[in-house]
Amino acid sequence: MSELIKEITGVSWSQIATLSGPSHAEEVSRDVATAVVAGSRHLSTAREVREIFRTDAFRVYSSTDIVGVELGGSLKNIIAIAAGIADGAGFGDNTKAALMTRALVEITRLGVTMGAKIQTFSGLSGMGDLIVTCMSRHSRNRYVGEQIGKGRRLSEILNEMVMVAEGIKTTRSVNQLKQKYTTDTPICDEVYRVLFEEKNPHHAVRDLMTRDPKEETPV
Amino acid sequence: MSELIKEITGVSWSQIATLSGPSHAEEVSRDVATAVVAGSRHLSTAREVREIFRTDAFRVYSSTDIVGVELGGSLKNIIAIAAGIADGAGFGDNTKAALMTRALVEITRLGVTMGAKIQTFSGLSGMGDLIVTCMSRHSRNRYVGEQIGKGRRLSEILNEMVMVAEGIKTTRSVNQLKQKYTTDTPICDEVYRVLFEEKNPHHAVRDLMTRDPKEETPV
C-alpha cells in the first residue's frame, strides 16, 4: 500500500506510515487493551504517528520496517486460509499450530528477500496479527479456508460472501512472486493448489508431512 | 533438563537430545498430523532422533540449539499463565495476542542471553508450542491463569489441582534469573506480581500499557 500511495500521490516517504497489528475494531472501540506497530521509513514519522494514536488502552510501538509491517499484515491472510482449511477438514490443534508456525517461517523468508527485517514477522504486525486472525471466528480468510476444508468449492463460497477475503488474491500474488524470488514456500503452494486446483486438503497435508526431513532453521 | 541429565548421568552431549513442539499426546496417539523439533548439541544426534521418530503423521525437524528448544518449551508456560489471566479477567483477543507476541519477545531476549538462538523461539518449540498452550482448554498453566484472572487466590487454586502447573515455578525462576541476566521482561514481571503479590490483573495490564513508548525491535 505504501508503494502505491507514494506512486499515486508523489508524497515523500517521510509522509507515509502504516499502522498494523492485532486490533479487532469492535474491541478497539470498547477500549480493550490493544497493541499495534506504526511503521514508516523515517523513524521520526513512525514516532509521530505513535504519539498521535497512543492512549492508555492503545499501545503503539514504532518501527522503520514499513515493508515488513505491510507484508506481515498481508501475507498472514494466506496462513489464515491454511488454518481455516485445517479446522474445516478436521485436523487437530497440533496440525494448526504447526501450519501457523512453519507458514510464518515461509512468509518471513519471502519477506526478507523483498527487503523486510526478520524480527518484524515475530512482532505485532506478523505473529500478533496472525494469532488473532487464525483464532477468530470473524476472520473472512479463515472462514473461506474452513468452508474449503469441509469440501465446498471456492466459487460457490465466494458467491455467497458480501465481504472480501483478500487472502485469496494474496495466494495468487505469492504464487506469481515465487517466479521472481525463488523462495521455498511449501505451505503457501499447497494453499494455492487446494484453492485453485481443487487439491484435496488431506492430500496437501500428507504431501507437506512427507517432504524430505530438514533442519528447523526458521529463516 | 539436558544439563541435569548430563550432570547426573555423566553421558556425553552427543547422547542427549530433546523432542519438543506443539504435540498434545491425545492427538499424536490418534495420528493427527503433528510437527516437532529434535534438539541436540550434535547435529548427527538430532538427525538420528529425527529419523527414529518421524512418520507420515509425525514430522520431526532437527536443530542444534538444544538450549533454545528447552527454554522455549519451559518459558512459554509463563506466557500461558499470562494468556489465561487475560481470558479470566475478561480482556479481548487483541489483548491476548499482544501479550503472547510481546511476551515471546521477552523470553527470546532472555533465552539469547542464556545462549539460545533467536530463530528457535519462532519455531515449533517456541511459537508453535505457545499457540497450542495458550489456546487449549486443557493447558494447566492457562487454567491457573484463568482462575487468577477471575479473582481467585493462587493457594486456593493449587489446593484443588491434582496436576502440576509448572509455569508457576518457572515464573519464580525467571524472577531469580533476572538478577543474573538483567534482561527486561515486563510481562513476566507482572505475572510474578499477580501470582505472588496479589496484584490486580487490571492494574498489571494498565502498567504494561502505559510504559514508556518504544521501538518494536523484537529482540
Side-chain angles (χ1 to χ4, degrees), chain B:
Chain B
M1 280 308 297
S2 62
E3 285 171 10
L4 274 180
I5 290 169
K6 172 105 177 97
E7 195 180 309
I8 292 168
T9 67
V11 297
S12 76
W13 281 118
S14 68
Q15 293 171 278
I16 301 174
T18 297
L19 201 64
S20 189
S23 47
H24 283 312
E26 64 274 26
E27 293 191 359
V28 175
S29 68
R30 286 190 290 115
D31 269 348
V32 170
T34 298
V36 301
V37 56
S40 172
R41 297 196 181 208
H42 289 249
L43 183 57
S44 56
T45 306
R47 285 184 174 165
E48 198 180 336
V49 170
R50 181 182 83 189
E51 294 307 312
I52 292 168
F53 281 91
R54 82 183 171 93
T55 69
D56 288 359
F58 195 73
R59 183 163 171 83
V60 185
Y61 291 84
S62 41
S63 166
T64 53
D65 184 18
I66 189 170
V67 177
V69 168
E70 291 190 315
L71 280 177
S74 166
L75 295 175
K76 69 100 176 42
N77 291 319
I78 304 176
I79 312 182
I81 294 176
I85 292 173
D87 285 340
F91 286 98
D93 292 344
N94 292 356
T95 320
K96 191 170 167 181
L99 278 173
M100 287 170 64
T101 306
R102 293 300 306 174
L104 187 61
V105 171
E106 284 182 26
I107 67 170
T108 302
R109 209 187 278 142
L110 183 62
V112 167
T113 65
M114 294 170 76
K117 288 184 190 145
I118 292 181
Q119 303 99 300
T120 306
F121 293 89
S122 303
L124 293 160
S125 58
M127 175 187 153
D129 210 357
L130 176 66
I131 290 173
V132 149
T133 306
C134 289
M135 298 302 160
S136 167
R137 262 162 298 174
H138 307 296
S139 161
R140 302 182 291 275
N141 294 295
R142 206 203 60 81
Y143 173 81
V144 168
E146 189 171 22
Q147 298 300 308
I148 291 275
K150 286 182 174 164
R152 298 182 62 198
R153 294 187 139 204
L154 183 60
S155 55
E156 190 187 320
I157 303 162
L158 294 184
N159 274 339
E160 282 173 16
M161 286 178 72
V162 183
M163 314 269 272
V164 176
E166 58 175 290
I168 295 165
K169 283 195 180 161
T170 315
T171 304
R172 273 196 202 282
S173 303
V174 165
N175 193 259
Q176 287 158 3
L177 280 175
K178 273 178 62 77
Q179 287 147 32
K180 187 168 165 194
Y181 292 105
T182 65
T183 311
D184 196 26
T185 55
I187 298 174
C188 295
D189 298 351
E190 292 297 341
V191 171
Y192 182 89
R193 291 184 195 115
V194 170
L195 285 183
F196 302 117
E197 297 172 358
E198 302 193 7
K199 182 164 180 176
N200 180 315
H202 290 271
H203 295 171
V205 168
R206 180 203 58 201
D207 290 348
L208 286 169
M209 294 295 289
T210 55
R211 298 176 74 226
D212 284 343
K214 290 198 162 53
E215 317 306 325
E216 188 178 35
T217 52
V219 171

